[in-house]
């Protein structure tokens, strides 16, 4: 069988999966007015054969929204929408559904936050631009969070995690990667705090650890994963010594017994193998993702599992374009190519209309 190692069952703690293929989180901008609905439930249910199905980045607070029509999880309507998704996924397959909690921090935008000024560790603007319905717009300078506000922000993650469980999801993934709020705390160039939540490695990792601890205490550590992208320069991040930061972070998180660490191999940015670092310091389940720097290769993923370097591999674009990715890989079948033009818009087109292998074969035969 091709990719034999990706089809070994996996078990650690309460996590049991039939194979090693997870779906990476993908923002698709199809949750109308931040509430998941029928279309989103269909999309996720189509991908319910993932071992772990990690959802699109979902804001735990209105001020954390950075893009058009991305899902939130801070009010009852959004929770009901996620319940519809969870029901559809669990009816369709064995995937463990983890909702990714993505507070955008300084890369939120007033056009999406009802005019509220975005918040961040420090008042440092991101130089880039963001798509808005009125065209591309500059980011704004965020407001630095006061020390006595941090507990409330932490509790936004906790409340969203509680809502995720109440909606029937299997857990949440804390998004501490790709330049969003938690990553902004970790990185020197976005965190100039002098109140014990910045200054040095111990200070910069502190908020992330507190969020992880509080979320794990609220819903159970086995329901909380975390995503990391050491050194990744997305969204204007520049970490000067990622190895030191993530050594300390992984060591601090290790005793919590979280469901998994989901680490992007960001070696071209970090200058060292971030997967090797995580395997060494992380005692629990390790999920790898290829990162933005290269096309991820399935044979390479299979080898990573074979060599024991990681436990599961998350695929983003390949899962986007192949709802039945595990079945296709198992069969050694051809893969649909992702259509970049419909990544972030297009309704059902480029979202729920990628054919399964059976559908593609039927269409060929017809
Ligand atoms: C359309 C699109 C949306 C994405 N949205 C998210 C997101 O919401 N959260 C996140 O952590 N990463 C997001 N990513 C990054 C992917 O999870 C993944 O790291 C990246 O695509 C590289 O993996 P791949 O080569 O398997 O696609 C996104 C990537 C793409 C292409």
């Amino acid at each position: 069988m091709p990719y034999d190692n990706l089809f070994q069952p996996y078990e650690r703690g309460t996590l049991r999966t039939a194979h090693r293929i997870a779906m990476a989180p993908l923002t698709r901008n199809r949750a109308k007015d931040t509430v998941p609905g029928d279309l989103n439930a269909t999309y996720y249910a189509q991908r319910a054969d993932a071992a772990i199905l990690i959802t699109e980045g979902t804001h735990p607070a209105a001020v954390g929204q950075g893009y058009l029509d991305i899902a939130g999880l801070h009010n009852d309507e959004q929770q009901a929408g996620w319940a519809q998704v969870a029901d559809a996924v669990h009816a369709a397959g064995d995937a463990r559904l983890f909702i990714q909690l993505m507070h955008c921090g300084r890369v939120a935008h007033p056009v999406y936050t009802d005019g509220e000024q975005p918040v961040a560790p420090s008042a440092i603007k991101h130089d880039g631009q963001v798509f808005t319905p009125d065209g591309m717009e500059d980011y704004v300078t965020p407001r630095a969070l006061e020390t006595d506000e941090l507990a409330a922000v932490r509790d936004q993650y906790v409340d969203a995690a509680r809502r995720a469980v109440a909606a029937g999801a299997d857990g949440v993934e804390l998004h501490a990667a790709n330049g969003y709020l938690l990553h902004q705390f970790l990185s020197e160039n976005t965190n100039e705090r002098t109140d014990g939540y910045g200054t040095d490695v111990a200070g910069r990792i502190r908020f992330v650890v507190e969020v992880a601890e509080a979320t794990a205490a609220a819903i159970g550590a086995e329901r909380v994963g975390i995503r990391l992208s050491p050194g990744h320069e997305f969204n204007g991040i520049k970490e000067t010594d990622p190895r030191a930061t993530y050594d300390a972070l992984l060591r601090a998180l290790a005793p919590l017994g979280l469901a998994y660490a989901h680490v992007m191999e960001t070696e071209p940015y970090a200058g060292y193998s971030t997967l090797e670092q995580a395997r060494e310091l992380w005692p629990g389940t390790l999920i790898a993702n290829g990162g933005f720097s290269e096309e991820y290769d399935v044979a390479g993923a299979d080898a990573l599992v074979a060599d024991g370097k990681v436990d599961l591999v998350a695929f983003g674009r390949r899962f986007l374009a192949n709802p039945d990715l595990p079945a296709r890989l198992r069969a050694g079948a051809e893969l649909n190519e992702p259509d970049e033009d419909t990544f972030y818009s297009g309704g059902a087109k480029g979202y729920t209309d990628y054919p399964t292998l059976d559908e593609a074969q039927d269409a060929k035969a017809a």
Side-chain angles (χ1 to χ4, degrees):
M1 187 163 62
Y3 314 127
D4 212 9
N5 300 290
L6 292 176
F7 291 96
Q8 298 303 314
Y10 179 73
E11 182 173 352
R12 184 170 344 217
T14 57
L15 182 64
R16 256 181 240 133
T17 66
H19 58 74
R20 309 300 184 96
I21 302 162
M23 176 162 150
L26 296 167
T27 291
R28 305 302 311 277
N29 309 80
R30 282 149 165 108
K32 195 84 202 104
D33 299 329
T34 74
V35 179
D38 293 345
L39 183 66
N40 312 101
T42 301
Y43 165 78
Y44 284 114
Q46 287 173 338
R47 288 157 179 77
D49 287 330
I52 300 180
L53 202 174
I54 306 164
T55 74
E56 63 207 78
T58 299
H59 43 285
V63 74
Q65 184 180 347
Y67 306 102
L68 180 69
D69 289 337
I70 60 172
L73 189 45
H74 53 84
N75 66 36
D76 292 347
E77 213 189 336
Q78 293 160 343
Q79 184 179 323
W82 279 115
Q84 186 186 347
V85 171
D87 285 350
V89 167
H90 290 140
D94 291 333
R96 301 292 181 103
L97 180 70
F98 275 66
I99 298 179
Q100 189 188 51
L101 299 183
M102 176 176 88
H103 188 312
C104 291
R106 70 173 190 156
V107 293
H109 195 278
V111 77
Y112 299 123
T113 62
D114 257 342
E116 196 179 342
Q117 186 181 10
V119 295
S122 299
I124 302 170
K125 186 169 96 69
H126 173 34
D127 281 338
Q129 288 199 318
V130 62
F131 171 85
T132 80
D134 304 323
M136 297 305 286
E137 288 202 23
D138 288 347
Y139 282 103
V140 300
T141 302
R143 180 175 72 75
L145 286 159
E146 301 290 342
T147 309
D148 63 7
E149 284 180 283
L150 293 179
V153 179
R154 178 199 65 203
D155 290 348
Q156 290 167 344
Y157 286 91
V158 171
D159 290 345
R162 286 209 171 96
R163 284 184 180 277
V165 172
D170 297 288
V172 294
E173 176 174 287
L174 301 173
H175 196 352
N178 298 353
Y180 297 102
L181 181 69
L182 296 180
H183 202 178
Q184 292 160 26
F185 271 89
L186 295 173
S187 180
E188 297 89 327
N189 77 320
T190 43
N191 182 347
E192 294 181 345
R193 300 183 74 91
T194 54
D195 62 349
Y197 287 91
T199 318
D200 54 13
V201 168
R204 283 185 281 105
I205 68 169
R206 185 170 161 196
F207 187 62
V208 179
V209 174
E210 288 181 0
V211 169
E213 282 172 346
T215 310
I219 64 167
E222 72 287 357
R223 292 182 182 276
V224 182
I226 189 159
R227 187 170 219 211
L228 306 173
S229 61
H232 191 201
E233 294 179 3
F234 195 60
N235 280 323
I237 290 292
K238 279 239 181 282
E239 293 178 273
T240 52
D241 188 0
R243 193 195 284 272
T245 301
Y246 291 87
D247 258 37
L249 181 62
L250 288 161
R251 284 180 206 279
L253 294 174
L256 301 186
L258 299 185
Y260 62 79
H262 178 186
V263 176
M264 293 167 73
E265 180 51 280
T266 43
E267 183 163 356
Y269 298 99
Y272 65 92
S273 170
T274 52
L275 293 183
E276 277 174 22
Q277 177 187 38
R279 182 91 289 184
E280 188 190 326
L281 299 174
W282 185 254
T285 297
L286 179 61
I287 307 177
N289 175 251
F292 285 89
S293 50
E294 63 203 83
E295 280 301 318
Y296 211 61
D297 157 285
V298 182
D302 189 71
L304 282 177
V305 173
D307 296 345
K309 291 186 173 165
V310 304
D311 301 308
L312 290 95
V313 180
F315 292 96
R317 287 162 294 179
R318 291 196 191 280
F319 234 126
L320 180 158
N322 295 277
D324 56 343
L325 184 66
R328 281 178 186 258
L329 295 184
R330 198 186 284 263
E334 212 178 302
L335 299 179
N336 301 321
E337 284 303 317
D339 167 24
E340 287 187 23
D341 292 345
T342 51
F343 274 4
Y344 303 109
S345 65
K349 184 169 155 33
Y351 191 53
T352 50
D353 65 352
Y354 285 105
T356 62
L357 188 56
D358 287 348
E359 287 162 355
Q361 282 169 348
D362 288 351
K364 240 187 212 164

